[in-house]
Amino acid sequence: MAVAGTVAAAALVGLGPSVAHASNTSANAVITWDRYAQTAIWDIAGQAPQVQARSFAMVHGAIYDAVNAIAGTPYEPYLNAPPANGTESTSAAVATAGHLVLNALFPAQQERLRTQYEEELARIPAGTAKQRGITVGTQAAAAMIAARQGDGAFGNQTWSVGTQPGQWRPTPPGFSVDGAWVAHLKPFLIPSASMFRTSGPPALTSRRYARDLNEVKAIGSATSTVRTADQTQAAIWWHDRHLAEWEIKRQLATKQKLNTLQSARMFAMVDMAEADATIACYSEKAAWNFWRPITAVQLADTDGNPATTGDPDWTPLLVTPPHPDFTSGHSCFTAASMSALTHFFGRDDISFSGYSADSGTTRYFRSFSQALAEVIEARIWGGIHTRTADVEGAKIGKKVTSYMVAHYFKPRR
């Protein structure tokens, strides 16, 4: 259960240089444009979580390179550092980078995005600083858009559908098949989507498989008598497609008083780690093609394991997503974000909270590790993942972050 608490003051250990140029406006433009990105990506386009990850990573990668350049490039650029001397308007650069990437991602929203962009530019005093900021933002966005051309997004791949025990097949109520192209998407950071390949799900006849299945069967059922009310709320909270993680990042940037450069770096690190963890997770799904709990429980009499019993009428609390079980995408994603935040702030024990309209509740966390521990359980409580799929997914997310920390966004001085 999440525990209530006030947001602790962070020491901001390891945040690196605090650069005056990085925040030359009273408002934090990075937070503003993250909200605008959410509007375009989710509120209007309604992208699924695995698609959202790519969009947010593109937006914040471009914003980071623009802000970092104006700040004097105190950190390694993601793609490049557009020419800048520190006199440019950071707000104009952020607005331009964010707008141009969103404009490229969502052609159907171009008119609305243009109006939004012009309104933001109108708030910035006219002059050379503004124009130079626009130039920096334009160059950062162009580099990102070019880098993601032909990255495999929205390809025509599909999941393999099997009929043998252990093999994935579409699940009720929609029996849909979606998102297979993510397994083939070019990563943002890691060299290969398969570099953290696991040894796969447990054998159907193993004791671990039986433990996994019997656990989710008991606590993840729509009619479970062992799941608590708080566990039910947590399962729904974590399943909300309007991800609480978006507001959590903005909340942390505000509460911890991050300047524009710090915010740009934090958002880019978290969003890119999330994107690559999702890609790596989907690569696992494609490699193992493992059935979901709803199929496994209903067909347990066919799995060859004497410790499992089939229940053809069993249904989970939550609607099962349209792709294989192993590994858990949300566990990969959350492990990447929470470990990236832990690295960025140099500590784990920072409190935060998030609201879900689906559950109608706000959940409170004392630390990043507590949130990760809860999502691992929540996917089981919801009846849509086995414990091994969650635990192994979390390992992938952490490994992606470790790779990022070793190779990207490092201080240059």
Side-chain angles (χ1 to χ4, degrees), residues 57-250:
M58 288 179 65
V59 169
H60 282 293
I63 287 175
Y64 164 77
D65 273 350
V67 174
N68 189 48
I70 294 173
T73 324
Y75 299 100
E76 292 290 342
Y78 170 62
L79 291 174
N80 64 13
N85 61 16
T87 63
E88 300 83 357
S89 166
T90 302
S91 293
V94 170
T96 303
H99 166 254
L100 290 176
V101 172
L102 290 171
N103 197 58
L105 286 169
F106 304 105
Q109 298 185 44
Q110 285 185 356
E111 183 176 349
R112 184 194 66 80
L113 290 167
R114 183 67 187 178
T115 299
Q116 176 180 275
Y117 175 57
E118 289 174 348
E119 289 174 350
E120 285 300 315
L121 285 187
R123 296 185 174 96
I124 303 170
T128 302
K130 179 177 180 178
Q131 292 305 314
R132 287 179 175 171
I134 291 171
T135 299
V136 171
T138 298
Q139 293 176 347
M144 176 60 73
I145 293 166
R148 300 310 297 184
Q149 288 291 322
D151 66 357
F154 310 106
N156 59 7
Q157 295 90 350
T158 188
W159 301 112
S160 297
V161 175
T163 58
Q164 297 301 307
Q167 293 179 341
W168 181 82
R169 72 272 334 248
T171 55
F175 295 96
S176 56
V177 180
D178 185 45
W181 59 265
V182 179
H184 306 275
L185 186 64
K186 175 185 174 183
F188 286 83
L189 306 168
I190 60 177
S192 167
S194 62
M195 75 175 295
F196 300 126
R197 178 73 73 234
T198 71
S199 58
L204 297 183
T205 55
S206 67
R207 275 191 276 184
R208 185 169 62 153
Y209 175 79
R211 287 196 302 268
D212 277 358
L213 189 65
N214 289 329
E215 176 185 35
V216 73
K217 180 181 179 182
I219 203 167
S221 167
T223 58
S224 175
T225 58
V226 297
R227 187 180 56 245
T228 68
D230 183 70
Q231 289 170 340
T232 298
Q233 286 187 353
I236 297 170
W237 190 95
W238 281 104
H239 199 57
D240 192 340
R241 304 298 84 180
H242 184 287
L243 299 182
E245 282 98 331
W246 304 329
E247 184 54 44
I248 286 169
K249 283 179 284 190
R250 295 192 290 261

Side-chain angles (χ1 to χ4, degrees), residues 37-51:
Q38 178 185 323
T39 298
I41 293 166
W42 170 251
D43 299 343
I44 297 176
Q47 288 189 335
Q50 67 272 15
V51 189

Side-chain angles (χ1 to χ4, degrees), residues 338-356:
M338 295 302 153
S339 58
L341 288 167
T342 299
H343 169 75
F344 180 84
F345 287 106
R347 56 186 291 190
D348 177 47
D349 60 338
I350 296 178
S351 298
F352 56 93
S353 63
Y355 173 77
S356 163

Side-chain angles (χ1 to χ4, degrees), residues 266 268-271 273-274 334-347 368 397-398 401-402 404-405:
M266 185 264 275
M269 291 175 73
V270 173
D271 287 353
E274 289 172 342
T334 304
S337 64
M338 295 302 153
S339 58
L341 288 167
T342 299
H343 169 75
F344 180 84
F345 287 106
R347 56 186 291 190
F368 302 124
K398 290 179 179 179
T401 294
S402 293
M404 175 185 69
V405 168

Side-chain angles (χ1 to χ4, degrees), residues 338-381:
M338 295 302 153
S339 58
L341 288 167
T342 299
H343 169 75
F344 180 84
F345 287 106
R347 56 186 291 190
D348 177 47
D349 60 338
I350 296 178
S351 298
F352 56 93
S353 63
Y355 173 77
S356 163
D358 283 4
S359 66
T361 59
T362 297
R363 296 194 72 76
Y364 301 84
F365 303 94
R366 296 185 305 265
S367 64
F368 302 124
S369 59
Q370 186 191 19
L372 175 56
E374 183 173 273
V375 75
I376 289 173
E377 302 297 329
R379 307 312 269 169
I380 305 167
W381 299 336

